[in-house]
Amino acid sequence: MIKEVIQDIQSELPCGVRLVAVSKYHPASAIQEAYDAGQRVFGENHVQELMSKVDELPKDIEWHFTGHLQTNKVKYIAPFIGLIHAVDTEKLLREIDRQGKRIGRPVPCLLQLHIAQEQTKYGFTPDEMKSFLSTGVHQELSHAKICGLMCMATFTDDTEQIDREFALARQIFEEVKTSFFPENDDFKELSMGMSDDYQIALRHGSTLVRIGTRIFGERVYG
Ligand SMILES: *Cc1c(COP(=O)(O)O)cnc(C)c1O
């Protein structure tokens, strides 16, 4: 099952686009099954759960942190994390830089763009993103490696709205790249698209799709 879904999704992805299998709340055995089907990039949302899975599972897995990350937990994942998807405050960005410096490892991360209508979602609005980067903060960092932007669309059945939001995200990505990272080849990722909307995200140039439910089934919370 898991194997077939992964192969289906992989076959839909344009060249250069990567699948992040979001495995939060699913057991190590499910991750192992995906791994055996060739999947190597997995996303988790909770530090403790991630740490115990890292211990249990093959060492060549590239782990991504896809959830909201608390500043005081950066130190646990900085040594190995492949990508932190959702940097939503200057404080978090500076802590990632500080921890990277401490251990001498550049830590790849994405800035979270808030485009959805929900009040509850984290991230910088397009205006906040631009004024934040206008301060030049990213040029002061030596070990937080900003590789692009991440966003989530509004949770809705209205595909036209999702389409508009991903189109906007793509536009902001291009503007931010041109204005603030013109000579920086690291700045190339646009992480957007989940189980129900990744096909729309792909049409707008997503480079990383984060898919959980479609691969692993419904999550068991608890
Ligand atoms: C849980 C989660 C996903 C995966 O969502 P599905 O709808 O299960 O595919 C993707 N991105 C983030 C940030 C998540 O928290």
Side-chain angles (χ1 to χ4, degrees):
M1 250 312 271
I2 288 179
K3 183 178 181 192
E4 273 91 80
V5 180
I6 285 179
Q7 286 168 348
D8 281 356
I9 297 170
Q10 288 289 4
S11 72
E12 289 175 85
L13 299 183
C15 186
V17 177
R18 291 191 298 156
L19 167 62
V20 181
V22 179
S23 47
K24 62 186 184 211
Y25 298 115
H26 291 286
S29 57
I31 300 175
Q32 184 67 50
E33 202 178 327
Y35 179 93
D36 293 339
Q39 181 64 26
R40 288 294 178 274
V41 184
F42 292 90
E44 288 284 336
N45 279 23
H46 303 280
V47 170
Q48 237 185 352
E49 184 180 346
L50 169 60
M51 300 308 282
S52 72
K53 286 174 174 173
V54 168
D55 272 350
E56 265 181 87
L57 286 152
K59 296 302 159 213
D60 63 340
I61 287 179
E62 181 179 323
W63 293 101
H64 287 196
F65 198 85
T66 41
H68 175 67
L69 179 58
Q70 284 172 282
T71 308
N72 62 356
K73 304 232 168 113
V74 173
K75 57 177 177 288
Y76 301 115
I77 66 171
F80 68 88
I81 202 75
L83 186 62
I84 297 173
H85 281 242
V87 177
D88 57 353
T89 61
E90 176 171 353
K91 186 168 166 236
L92 178 58
L93 185 61
R94 288 196 185 276
E95 176 62 10
I96 291 168
D97 192 53
R98 203 170 72 87
Q99 293 299 333
K101 217 175 280 171
R102 191 176 64 85
I103 58 175
R105 175 180 189 253
V107 182
C109 58
L110 306 177
L111 299 177
Q112 184 172 7
L113 183 64
H114 178 118
I115 45 160
Q117 276 181 353
E118 283 103 331
Q119 294 290 319
T120 52
K121 294 218 171 133
Y122 297 103
F124 299 93
T125 65
D127 283 346
E128 286 166 354
M129 180 76 73
K130 289 177 206 162
S131 60
F132 175 56
L133 292 168
S134 299
T135 65
V137 56
H138 56 294
Q139 285 155 342
E140 297 168 24
L141 308 170
S142 58
H143 287 74
K145 189 164 95 178
I146 302 177
C147 299
L149 304 183
M150 173 270 199
C151 73
M152 289 167 90
T154 301
F155 184 72
T156 174
D157 289 336
D158 182 350
T159 54
E160 280 176 26
Q161 182 177 351
I162 296 170
D163 195 82
R164 282 195 300 276
E165 290 177 354
F166 284 151
L168 176 63
R170 174 55 189 263
Q171 183 196 325
I172 303 299
F173 171 83
E174 297 295 342
E175 285 174 24
V176 166
K177 170 134 187 85
T178 306
S179 306
F180 303 106
F181 299 91
E183 316 272 284
N184 186 336
D185 293 336
D186 292 329
F187 192 95
K188 59 178 194 294
E189 305 287 4
L190 180 55
S191 167
M192 60 186 192
M194 306 175 22
S195 290
D196 292 334
D197 59 17
Y198 73 93
Q199 276 122 341
I200 305 175
L202 289 174
R203 290 205 289 276
H204 293 288
S206 170
T207 66
L208 286 165
V209 289
R210 311 177 309 267
I211 301 181
T213 310
R214 197 170 154 195
I215 298 171
F216 297 109
E218 294 296 326
R219 287 179 281 274
V220 180
Y221 293 85

